[in-house]
Amino acid sequence: MKALNYENGAPSFVAEFAQHQSNVFWSPRAEQALRYYRNLIRMFPDSPQAYGALAFCYYHYGDDRKAVRYYKRAIELGPHLFGFYYNLGYVYVKLNMYDEAIAILKQAVEKSPNSTLEYPYVVIPDETGKGGGADRQQTMFNLRKIYEKCYKLMIFSLWSKKDYAGMLAIAKARLANGSLDQGDYLYYAGAASFYLKQYNAAYHFLRQADKL
């Protein structure tokens, strides 16, 4: 408990970094944050937020493999928390592990982003803007943007695998769903159609994208 008391500035440092991220994560305070969350999971081994925070720290510390390990554990303990799925998918894409990314991101979009509001700055560190103290409406808006990014990461992964049919299917589904990012999905659909040699469809999608 003394270790946690001594390093109880770690959560505020992580929250501050999550808000701005212009700072380099390598610092004595970053080391302190890693120690804090390692100690925290020893004391509270069933806390998905603690594992997610440690994964966040390791990711920004440059240890992607440990980030994967702890995000996976966070998901096991908090399977309802959408953000951990997104973050793990993001790390998988960075590692060029596209099959794994697609699989976990498919699970992400089946979850409600709403549950993430209970601990937003750790669950979704890159996008929530002002972390746990953010305006709820703005935070929800940002979470919906990240929900959309799950589909875009899936499309990127499929593109990297040259799975243009899968890419086209997701783009068309998002268009039919009325996604606010219509222009992006029209472009993705056009590019996929082109590589599938569906040139008339490619022309149609790209022309529509150009009008937006």
Side-chain angles (χ1 to χ4, degrees):
M1 187 64 74
K2 286 184 178 180
L4 289 180
N5 289 337
Y6 177 73
E7 297 175 344
N8 63 8
S12 61
F13 167 69
V14 172
E16 180 184 348
F17 182 83
Q19 290 174 38
H20 304 295
Q21 294 196 26
S22 56
N23 305 315
V24 177
F25 198 71
W26 299 288
S27 72
R29 293 187 71 193
E31 293 280 0
Q32 187 182 76
L34 284 168
R35 286 196 304 271
Y36 175 87
Y37 286 110
R38 283 196 296 260
N39 287 332
L40 193 65
I41 63 173
R42 281 194 285 269
M43 296 181 65
F44 302 100
D46 296 325
S47 169
Q49 292 89 352
Y51 280 94
L54 185 58
F56 168 78
C57 292
Y58 273 121
Y59 172 74
H60 287 283
Y61 203 68
D63 194 333
D64 295 332
R65 297 292 175 175
K66 283 188 178 177
V68 166
R69 171 185 169 188
Y70 289 112
Y71 275 133
K72 288 172 73 173
R73 182 59 178 152
I75 287 170
E76 290 175 4
L77 294 169
H80 61 295
L81 289 171
F82 154 80
F84 294 138
Y85 294 84
Y86 166 78
N87 284 356
L88 179 55
Y90 189 94
V91 180
Y92 277 144
V93 169
K94 182 184 175 185
L95 292 170
N96 300 326
M97 299 172 65
Y98 298 120
D99 289 331
E100 291 83 352
I102 293 165
I104 203 70
L105 291 166
K106 282 181 177 178
Q107 293 181 59
V109 297
E110 295 173 354
K111 310 297 177 183
S112 168
N114 295 10
S115 59
T116 291
L117 285 172
E118 66 185 76
Y119 210 63
Y121 73 77
V122 167
V123 178
I124 301 286
D126 293 335
E127 303 287 347
T128 49
K130 295 183 180 178
D135 174 79
R136 185 181 177 90
Q137 186 175 358
Q138 182 62 44
T139 300
M140 275 305 303
F141 175 76
N142 290 336
L143 286 171
R144 291 191 187 100
K145 284 170 57 180
I146 295 164
Y147 184 87
E148 204 65 55
K149 284 182 70 174
C150 289
Y151 290 103
K152 294 181 180 182
L153 284 173
M154 278 192 274
I155 285 175
F156 176 81
S157 298
L158 291 163
W159 174 276
S160 300
K161 288 165 52 65
K162 295 182 169 35
D163 183 350
Y164 304 120
M167 178 181 169
L168 179 59
I170 290 178
K172 290 173 70 174
R174 296 312 296 155
L175 289 168
N177 188 261
S179 167
L180 294 177
D181 295 339
Q182 291 280 302
D184 290 345
Y185 290 112
L186 285 166
Y187 172 78
Y188 300 145
S193 297
F194 179 84
Y195 281 101
L196 291 168
K197 299 183 179 180
Q198 300 175 10
Y199 299 121
N200 288 338
Y203 174 78
H204 168 75
F205 287 125
L206 295 172
R207 186 179 180 188
Q208 291 298 111
D210 190 53
K211 291 180 179 179
L212 295 179

